[in-house]
Amino acid sequence: MRVSCLAFAGLLATVSLSTSLSGQRPDDQIDARSMQLLTEGRAAKAAGNLDGATDLLETAVAVDPRNRGAFVALAEVADARDLPGKAIRLYREALLLEPNDRAALAGQGTALVHKGALTQARANLMKLKTLCKGQCPEATTLAAAIQKGPPITTAQVDPKPGVSKE
Protein backbone atom coordinates (compact mmCIF):
# COMPACT_ATOMS: atom_id res chain seq x y z
CA MET A 1 0.00 0.00 0.00
CA ARG A 2 2.79 2.41 0.92
CA VAL A 3 4.70 1.70 -2.26
CA SER A 4 1.69 2.30 -4.47
CA CYS A 5 0.97 5.67 -2.78
CA LEU A 6 4.58 6.76 -3.25
CA ALA A 7 4.58 5.57 -6.86
CA PHE A 8 1.33 7.43 -7.54
CA ALA A 9 2.72 10.63 -5.96
CA GLY A 10 5.89 10.34 -8.04
CA LEU A 11 3.87 9.80 -11.21
CA LEU A 12 1.69 12.79 -10.43
CA ALA A 13 4.75 15.00 -9.80
CA THR A 14 6.33 13.90 -13.09
CA VAL A 15 3.17 14.61 -15.08
CA SER A 16 2.76 18.03 -13.44
CA LEU A 17 6.37 19.00 -14.10
CA SER A 18 6.36 17.93 -17.75
CA THR A 19 3.05 19.71 -18.38
CA SER A 20 4.30 23.00 -16.95
CA LEU A 21 7.56 22.84 -18.91
CA SER A 22 5.89 22.16 -22.24
CA GLY A 23 3.53 25.13 -21.77
CA GLN A 24 6.30 27.74 -21.58
CA ARG A 25 7.45 29.71 -24.61
CA PRO A 26 11.12 30.12 -25.43
CA ASP A 27 12.65 33.48 -24.55
CA ASP A 28 13.13 34.55 -28.16
CA GLN A 29 9.46 34.07 -29.07
CA ILE A 30 7.59 37.30 -28.27
CA ASP A 31 3.78 37.36 -28.21
CA ALA A 32 2.39 38.52 -31.59
CA ARG A 33 -0.06 40.91 -29.89
CA SER A 34 2.85 42.59 -28.12
CA MET A 35 4.73 42.98 -31.41
CA GLN A 36 1.64 44.49 -33.07
CA LEU A 37 1.31 46.99 -30.20
CA LEU A 38 5.00 47.81 -30.55
CA THR A 39 4.51 48.59 -34.25
CA GLU A 40 1.49 50.78 -33.49
CA GLY A 41 3.39 52.54 -30.69
CA ARG A 42 6.33 53.32 -32.96
CA ALA A 43 3.92 54.71 -35.56
CA ALA A 44 2.25 56.91 -32.94
CA LYS A 45 5.66 58.15 -31.77
CA ALA A 46 6.68 58.96 -35.34
CA ALA A 47 3.43 60.89 -35.77
CA GLY A 48 4.25 62.94 -32.66
CA ASN A 49 1.55 61.39 -30.47
CA LEU A 50 3.73 60.72 -27.42
CA ASP A 51 0.80 60.03 -25.07
CA GLY A 52 -0.71 57.47 -27.44
CA ALA A 53 2.70 55.93 -28.06
CA THR A 54 3.32 55.59 -24.34
CA ASP A 55 -0.05 53.89 -23.83
CA LEU A 56 0.51 51.43 -26.68
CA LEU A 57 4.08 50.62 -25.67
CA GLU A 58 3.20 50.12 -22.01
CA THR A 59 0.45 47.75 -23.12
CA ALA A 60 2.97 45.89 -25.28
CA VAL A 61 5.20 45.42 -22.24
CA ALA A 62 2.21 44.30 -20.15
CA VAL A 63 1.23 41.71 -22.77
CA ASP A 64 4.78 40.33 -22.96
CA PRO A 65 7.40 41.63 -20.51
CA ARG A 66 10.17 40.13 -22.64
CA ASN A 67 9.54 42.59 -25.48
CA ARG A 68 12.87 44.41 -25.44
CA GLY A 69 11.92 46.59 -28.40
CA ALA A 70 8.99 48.00 -26.44
CA PHE A 71 11.29 48.96 -23.56
CA VAL A 72 13.68 50.69 -25.97
CA ALA A 73 10.82 52.55 -27.69
CA LEU A 74 9.40 53.60 -24.30
CA ALA A 75 12.82 54.91 -23.35
CA GLU A 76 13.00 56.88 -26.60
CA VAL A 77 9.61 58.43 -25.78
CA ALA A 78 10.92 59.34 -22.32
CA ASP A 79 13.95 60.95 -24.00
CA ALA A 80 11.63 62.92 -26.28
CA ARG A 81 9.79 64.16 -23.20
CA ASP A 82 13.09 65.19 -21.60
CA LEU A 83 12.86 62.56 -18.85
CA PRO A 84 16.39 61.10 -18.82
CA GLY A 85 15.97 59.34 -15.46
CA LYS A 86 12.98 57.38 -16.70
CA ALA A 87 14.77 56.66 -19.97
CA ILE A 88 17.79 55.26 -18.10
CA ARG A 89 15.53 52.90 -16.13
CA LEU A 90 13.73 51.71 -19.28
CA TYR A 91 16.99 51.15 -21.15
CA ARG A 92 18.22 49.16 -18.13
CA GLU A 93 15.14 46.93 -18.42
CA ALA A 94 15.97 46.30 -22.08
CA LEU A 95 19.59 45.57 -21.19
CA LEU A 96 18.51 43.04 -18.56
CA LEU A 97 16.81 41.12 -21.36
CA GLU A 98 19.78 41.46 -23.76
CA PRO A 99 22.98 42.94 -22.31
CA ASN A 100 24.53 43.40 -25.78
CA ASP A 101 21.71 45.47 -27.32
CA ARG A 102 23.64 48.25 -29.05
CA ALA A 103 20.66 50.59 -29.40
CA ALA A 104 19.84 50.28 -25.69
CA LEU A 105 23.49 50.81 -24.68
CA ALA A 106 23.78 53.93 -26.84
CA GLY A 107 20.42 55.30 -25.72
CA GLN A 108 21.20 54.70 -22.06
CA GLY A 109 24.60 56.32 -22.52
CA THR A 110 23.05 59.43 -24.06
CA ALA A 111 20.48 59.63 -21.25
CA LEU A 112 23.31 59.26 -18.72
CA VAL A 113 25.11 62.19 -20.35
CA HIS A 114 21.94 64.30 -19.99
CA LYS A 115 21.88 63.44 -16.29
CA GLY A 116 25.58 64.32 -15.97
CA ALA A 117 26.80 60.75 -15.34
CA LEU A 118 29.71 60.89 -17.77
CA THR A 119 31.68 58.05 -16.15
CA GLN A 120 28.83 55.59 -16.63
CA ALA A 121 28.24 56.89 -20.17
CA ARG A 122 31.90 56.25 -20.98
CA ALA A 123 31.51 52.69 -19.65
CA ASN A 124 28.61 52.20 -22.08
CA LEU A 125 30.79 53.60 -24.88
CA MET A 126 33.59 51.15 -24.06
CA LYS A 127 31.14 48.24 -24.12
CA LEU A 128 29.77 49.46 -27.46
CA LYS A 129 33.27 49.64 -28.91
CA THR A 130 33.99 46.07 -27.85
CA LEU A 131 30.71 44.88 -29.36
CA CYS A 132 31.19 46.69 -32.68
CA LYS A 133 34.80 45.64 -33.38
CA GLY A 134 34.98 48.55 -35.78
CA GLN A 135 32.91 51.58 -36.67
CA CYS A 136 29.28 51.60 -35.69
CA PRO A 137 26.86 54.53 -35.67
CA GLU A 138 25.75 53.91 -32.08
CA ALA A 139 29.29 54.34 -30.73
CA THR A 140 29.89 57.41 -32.88
CA THR A 141 26.67 59.06 -31.68
CA LEU A 142 27.40 58.29 -28.04
CA ALA A 143 30.99 59.52 -28.33
CA ALA A 144 29.71 62.81 -29.77
CA ALA A 145 27.19 63.17 -26.92
CA ILE A 146 29.92 62.55 -24.35
CA GLN A 147 32.20 65.05 -26.06
CA LYS A 148 29.43 67.66 -26.04
CA GLY A 149 28.72 67.00 -22.36
CA PRO A 150 25.56 67.45 -20.34
CA PRO A 151 23.22 70.30 -21.19
CA ILE A 152 23.72 73.51 -19.28
CA THR A 153 20.75 74.32 -17.14
CA THR A 154 20.17 77.64 -15.48
CA ALA A 155 17.82 78.68 -12.76
CA GLN A 156 14.74 80.51 -13.91
CA VAL A 157 15.15 84.18 -13.10
CA ASP A 158 12.25 86.52 -12.44
CA PRO A 159 12.43 89.14 -15.24
CA LYS A 160 11.42 92.00 -12.92
CA PRO A 161 12.85 91.43 -9.47
CA GLY A 162 11.22 93.41 -6.70
CA VAL A 163 7.86 93.68 -8.48
CA SER A 164 5.18 91.64 -6.79
CA LYS A 165 2.74 89.66 -8.90
CA GLU A 166 -0.28 90.47 -6.76
Side-chain angles (χ1 to χ4, degrees):
M1 183 70 176
R2 287 183 181 175
V3 174
S4 63
C5 288
L6 290 174
F8 181 70
L11 178 65
L12 186 60
T14 304
V15 169
S16 298
L17 182 63
S18 65
T19 303
S20 67
L21 289 177
S22 66
Q24 294 179 355
R25 291 177 298 179
D27 285 343
D28 60 348
Q29 188 178 359
I30 305 296
D31 191 312
R33 294 172 299 172
S34 181
M35 294 304 291
Q36 177 63 33
L37 289 164
L38 171 61
T39 303
E40 292 173 15
R42 285 182 175 156
K45 179 181 156 257
N49 181 4
L50 297 181
D51 289 333
T54 299
D55 291 343
L56 289 165
L57 295 168
E58 285 177 349
T59 305
V61 168
V63 168
D64 194 341
R66 295 168 300 146
N67 191 340
R68 184 182 68 229
F71 281 114
V72 172
L74 267 171
E76 290 169 353
V77 169
D79 275 336
R81 290 185 167 183
D82 198 29
L83 300 170
K86 184 174 183 177
I88 291 167
R89 183 183 59 81
L90 291 165
Y91 283 124
R92 182 176 47 231
E93 292 293 328
L95 289 168
L96 287 173
L97 295 170
E98 174 54 54
N100 295 330
D101 185 340
R102 294 187 328 197
L105 280 167
Q108 185 185 47
T110 303
L112 286 165
V113 169
H114 287 293
K115 287 291 277 187
L118 295 177
T119 304
Q120 292 170 329
R122 285 187 188 104
N124 278 24
L125 179 61
M126 294 307 295
K127 187 166 184 178
L128 270 173
K129 286 182 177 181
T130 59
L131 289 174
C132 291
K133 301 206 190 318
Q135 286 294 89
C136 67
E138 295 91 353
T140 305
T141 304
L142 180 55
I146 292 171
Q147 182 68 31
K148 183 179 175 185
I152 298 172
T153 57
T154 59
Q156 186 169 353
V157 179
D158 188 9
K160 296 181 182 177
V163 177
S164 67
K165 294 182 181 181
E166 293 179 17

